[in-house]
């Protein structure tokens, strides 16, 4: 199979996607997801994740459903390679959501996270319905508008602004590669599932509050929140493949080092990122 790194090279890098999703699918948030998933934690399920990225959700599913066989699939070769190297207990495959490389009636559960908006609806739902067993469950996770407040010490620096302003105005890679070509509203996604043959459709929401200074979070997790933001900023710089990036990279590292210093000294800034994930559940 030919290598396909379009997403990881141009949209979201491997570590940006992995670290942010690792936080959002941390075990402390499992109860929120499980209420909407409605799956038997101890059943011998065959679960397929479509558009798995580097595998953070697949890893969580492996922990949450210990008797399940987890298969994770993505078109991006770097994501699949990362999952194979770093996440035991999960089978990672390259494949296309519009032409799943599986027989009819193969899985008990299909699940996807922020994939629906990139795939033509009849193919997105139709392929999952085809590979699900009779009575199988389709779970569609979709990011909704959340909240974000940046710490003062993490605001964009002059070096970063100078870097971004120095770049030529190229075509937006999201438009170039058809990112979010099929967006749907909170009402549209469950309606689309019903229109494409799923029954007993229901909806639920997981609200993931990532606030490093909140006392409920142990220091290890709080620092992972800060480092995930650092990685996002660094990979954004790397994704444009420019040579004059040294000052911007140094500025990013300096401001996140300062954020960590303040956290470790007990100086609270209360920056936060609250994500809202809609979970649509349908039965074949």
């Amino acid at each position: 199979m030919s290598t396909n790194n379009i997403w990881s090279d141009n949209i979201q890098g491997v570590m940006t996607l992995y670290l942010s999703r690792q936080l959002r699918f941390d075990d402390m948030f499992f109860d929120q997801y499980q209420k909407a998933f409605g799956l038997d934690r101890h059943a011998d399920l065959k679960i397929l994740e479509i558009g798995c990225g580097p595998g953070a959700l697949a890893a969580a599913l492996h922990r949450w459903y210990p008797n399940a066989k987890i298969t994770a699939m993505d078109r991006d070769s770097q994501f699949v390679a990362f999952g194979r190297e770093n996440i035991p207990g999960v089978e990672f495959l390259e494949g296309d959501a519009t032409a799943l490389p599986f027989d009819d009636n193969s899985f008990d559960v299909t699940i996807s996270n922020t994939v629906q908006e990139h795939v033509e609806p009849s193919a997105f739902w139709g392929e999952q319905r085809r590979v699900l067993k009779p009575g199988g469950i389709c779970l569609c996770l979709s990011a909704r508008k959340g909240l974000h407040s940046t710490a003062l010490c993490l605001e964009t620096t002059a070096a970063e602004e100078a870097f971004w302003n120095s770049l030529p105005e190229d075509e937006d890679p999201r438009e170039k590669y058809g990112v979010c070509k099929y967006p749907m509203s909170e009402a549209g996604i469950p309606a689309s599932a019903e229109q494409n043959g799923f029954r007993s459709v229901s909806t639920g929401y997981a609200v993931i509050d990532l606030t490093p200074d909140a006392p409920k979070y142990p220091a290890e997790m709080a620092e992972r929140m800060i480092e995930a933001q650092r990685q996002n900023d660094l990979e954004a710089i790397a994704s444009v493949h420019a040579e004059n990036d040294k000052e911007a990279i140094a500025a990013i590292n300096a401001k996140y080092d300062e954020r960590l210093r303040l956290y470790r000294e007990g100086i609270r800034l209360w920056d936060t990122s609250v994500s809202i994930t809609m979970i649509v559940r349908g039965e074949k």
Side-chain angles (χ1 to χ4, degrees), residues 102-115:
F102 307 105
D103 294 335
D104 297 357
N105 309 312
S106 296
F107 292 93
D108 300 292
V109 180
T110 59
I111 185 169
S112 62
N113 176 50
T114 64
V115 174

Side-chain angles (χ1 to χ4, degrees), residues 24-263:
R24 285 164 176 76
F25 296 112
D26 190 89
D27 291 348
M28 71 182 303
F29 303 124
F30 169 64
D31 286 347
Q32 291 192 66
Y33 293 111
Q34 173 61 3
K35 286 177 182 177
F37 289 179
L39 302 177
D40 183 345
R41 290 199 68 181
H42 305 291
D44 296 325
L45 300 171
K46 290 185 67 177
I47 300 177
L48 169 65
E49 185 190 357
I50 297 164
C52 64
L57 173 54
L61 293 170
H62 181 57
R63 297 192 306 271
W64 297 344
Y65 303 99
N67 296 325
K69 173 178 169 43
I70 313 296
T71 302
M73 191 195 77
D74 201 282
R75 291 181 65 183
D76 192 288
S77 305
Q78 287 195 76
F79 291 158
V80 171
F82 180 91
R84 286 173 175 167
E85 292 172 9
N86 294 280
I87 299 173
V90 175
E91 180 183 15
F92 285 89
L93 303 171
E94 287 189 48
D96 190 332
T98 66
L100 298 175
F102 307 105
D103 294 335
D104 297 357
N105 309 312
S106 296
F107 292 93
D108 300 292
V109 180
T110 59
I111 185 169
S112 62
N113 176 50
T114 64
V115 174
Q116 168 275 313
E117 60 266 33
H118 311 301
V119 183
E120 191 280 321
S122 63
F124 174 77
W125 300 110
E127 275 295 274
Q128 291 184 76
R129 195 168 183 277
R130 178 183 68 78
V131 302
L132 279 169
K133 299 175 183 178
I137 304 300
C138 173
L139 299 170
C140 174
L141 281 60
S142 175
R144 302 288 99 185
K145 185 177 181 180
L147 304 171
H148 186 74
S149 179
T150 302
L152 288 177
C153 68
L154 295 180
E155 290 184 347
T156 303
T157 64
E160 290 172 90
E161 284 190 1
F163 172 78
W164 291 113
N165 290 336
S166 71
L167 301 178
E169 292 189 12
D170 293 330
E171 181 181 5
D172 185 342
R174 293 176 180 268
E175 184 173 332
K176 180 178 180 180
Y177 297 114
V179 173
C180 205
K181 191 176 180 180
Y182 304 96
M184 292 186 194
S185 68
E186 289 82 0
I189 300 174
S192 183
E194 290 179 323
Q195 291 161 8
N196 285 278
F198 285 97
R199 58 185 179 82
S200 301
V201 172
S202 61
T203 63
Y205 293 86
V207 179
I208 310 303
D209 162 21
L210 300 179
T211 306
D213 291 322
K216 64 184 176 181
Y217 295 119
E220 179 272 336
M221 187 169 183
E223 294 197 9
R224 282 199 289 124
M225 294 178 195
I226 296 168
E227 291 295 353
Q229 294 179 62
R230 184 203 301 259
Q231 192 63 45
N232 177 79
D233 289 1
L234 289 173
E235 285 195 345
I237 295 284
S239 70
V240 299
H241 311 293
E243 295 181 358
N244 59 329
D245 59 1
K246 292 182 179 179
E247 289 187 10
I249 290 172
I252 289 169
N253 281 321
K255 70 182 185 181
Y256 281 101
D257 288 346
E258 175 66 3
R259 179 66 186 93
L260 285 172
R261 183 188 71 79
L262 293 171
Y263 172 78

